[in-house]
Amino acid sequence: MSGRASSPIVLAAGGTGGHFFPAEALAAALIGRGRRVVLFADARTKIGADSVFAARERFVIPGGGIAGRGVGRAIAGALKLLAGFFVARRALRDLRPAALVAFGGYPAIAPVLASRSLARRVPVILHEQNAVLGRANRFLARFSARLALSVPDTRSIPAGTATIVVGNPVRPAIAACAAIPYAPPTESGAIRLLVLGGSLGARVMSDVVPAALAALPTTLRARLALAQQCRAEDLARVAAFYREAAISAECAAFFADVPERLAAAHLVIARAGASTLAELAVIGRPAILVPLPGAIDDHQSANARAFGDAAVTIAERQFTPARLAAVVCDLLAAPARLSAMAAAAKHGPADAAERLADLAEGVRP
């Protein structure tokens, strides 16, 4: 077996999709180059049958959060991180990887620290998805050979950290839709709306969006072709509301074809999570963004600001049916503005996964 094939690149990612989806995209790029890829993830991470990691080597690394918790939970989290350190150290010593790429969050902490304890140092790359450096990456930056950023002017980077902007890797299916041009809705044609809630933020979409769309003028409401992601517990009530309001709507807890739906959408209503914005930036679609309040360091608000004129941002405290209905009406009445927003949105590199793969293959301790 050649050194290229036998010496793997380890990816440390897990927990939320915002950390895991870029790792999947990078893995696909590396596997396409003939690289051996190994995943370090925590126990929360669910690997679907269609994931690029489904048939790959994987290690479950114990871990837990510490920041923002009570004393008891913080101690439990620290003990899990310590256990994860020893599991990761043993695995890294046996694997002898060419590089370790970590995607933030507590699943990154134990593998990165373990990599620094080995006699044979493993070069470390950190990837940051958001416009504010996450606390784990902030702590780990001193141990990295390079910090790869998704957006320029990312905040809270420690002084002296070597950085490079590569973008936020997106799934190959998203990159494949990058060439599909945006066309605003015609004067009498269907208006395709896509509503994405995110794993932590779908409830407010279920509470506000239906009432807002029901308040639209009858002529607009009759043209709506809506697809809305809902929490499973909200599906029945949201679908029933749309039926009573005579709005054509498809509601689901999960859409397997999000890339195609994004490409077809005239307007997207979503949270400002890093993965959602990366996909919007690659395909180029106008959006109404509602940053998740209470996110650590308010990073979703920073993400929305970085997205600029490609979106209208509404703080959740102002996200009412009346406000949303007014914004939707204003946008749908201005197709030229929608087209300009779509053009402004299309600033994300479709080849971010390849750029990060280049970095992973070329990094040195």
Side-chain angles (χ1 to χ4, degrees):
M1 183 178 291
S2 70
R4 178 182 177 85
S6 63
S7 184
I9 293 177
V10 173
L11 310 186
T16 66
H19 294 306
F20 190 69
F21 293 155
E24 283 192 308
L26 174 60
L30 290 169
I31 291 166
R33 300 180 181 199
R35 298 297 311 219
R36 177 184 168 200
V37 172
V38 178
L39 174 67
F40 284 12
D42 66 340
R44 300 175 303 164
T45 306
K46 307 301 181 191
I47 309 296
D50 59 344
S51 172
V52 70
F53 292 119
R56 301 289 157 181
E57 300 164 85
R58 305 195 297 272
F59 291 83
V60 176
I61 308 297
I66 297 175
R69 294 167 172 250
V71 174
R73 294 182 68 188
I75 292 173
L79 291 174
K80 288 181 180 178
L81 285 173
L82 181 62
F85 171 88
F86 288 109
V87 172
R89 188 177 192 278
R90 184 163 52 249
L92 290 171
R93 185 187 59 215
D94 294 342
L95 289 167
R96 297 177 63 83
L100 167 64
V101 185
F103 288 83
Y106 71 72
I109 295 175
V112 172
L113 294 182
S115 75
R116 310 317 293 163
S117 72
L118 299 173
R120 178 187 176 273
R121 288 293 179 90
V122 179
V124 172
I125 295 169
L126 301 179
H127 183 269
E128 177 57 52
Q129 300 84 50
N130 293 293
V132 180
L133 195 64
R135 295 185 182 182
N137 277 349
R138 221 175 297 171
F139 168 66
L140 296 172
R142 74 196 77 176
F143 307 115
S144 68
R146 194 66 65 91
L147 172 62
L149 305 176
S150 295
V151 297
D153 302 320
T154 299
R155 288 166 33 203
S156 301
I157 297 174
T161 303
T163 65
I164 182 171
V165 178
V166 299
N168 197 358
V170 297
R171 295 168 284 173
I174 291 289
C177 292
I180 299 175
Y182 177 76
T186 61
E187 188 172 341
S188 58
I191 300 168
R192 294 185 295 276
L193 295 184
L194 178 62
V195 181
L196 301 172
S199 58
L200 297 175
R203 176 61 185 268
V204 72
M205 298 297 182
S206 296
D207 292 344
V208 173
V209 175
L213 298 185
L216 295 178
T218 303
T219 52
L220 281 182
R221 196 167 65 243
R223 294 166 55 199
L224 292 178
L226 170 71
Q228 180 166 346
Q229 181 189 45
C230 304
R231 300 188 312 167
E233 55 265 42
D234 295 333
L235 274 174
R237 72 175 174 93
V238 172
F241 185 98
Y242 284 132
R243 282 195 299 270
E244 287 191 23
I247 293 174
S248 175
E250 181 182 357
C251 301
F254 175 77
F255 290 122
D257 56 347
V258 166
E260 293 78 12
R261 290 180 185 273
L262 276 173
H266 291 121
L267 179 63
V268 178
I269 303 172
R271 289 297 195 182
S275 290
T276 296
L277 296 193
E279 293 176 355
L280 284 169
V282 167
I283 295 176
R285 294 298 179 263
I288 297 171
L289 300 178
V290 187
L292 179 70
I296 293 177
D297 297 320
D298 197 23
H299 65 262
Q300 287 208 4
S301 293
N303 291 348
R305 287 192 295 271
F307 212 62
D309 294 335
V312 174
T313 300
I314 305 176
E316 185 168 310
R317 64 183 180 277
Q318 299 169 339
F319 188 59
T320 64
R323 175 70 187 282
L324 178 59
V327 172
V328 169
C329 278
D330 287 346
L331 291 176
L332 294 180
R337 183 183 177 191
L338 286 173
S339 293
M341 290 171 67
K346 200 172 176 62
H347 60 265
D351 64 345
E354 297 295 337
R355 294 184 185 192
L356 190 54
D358 289 342
L359 193 60
E361 288 194 311
V363 71
R364 296 291 180 268

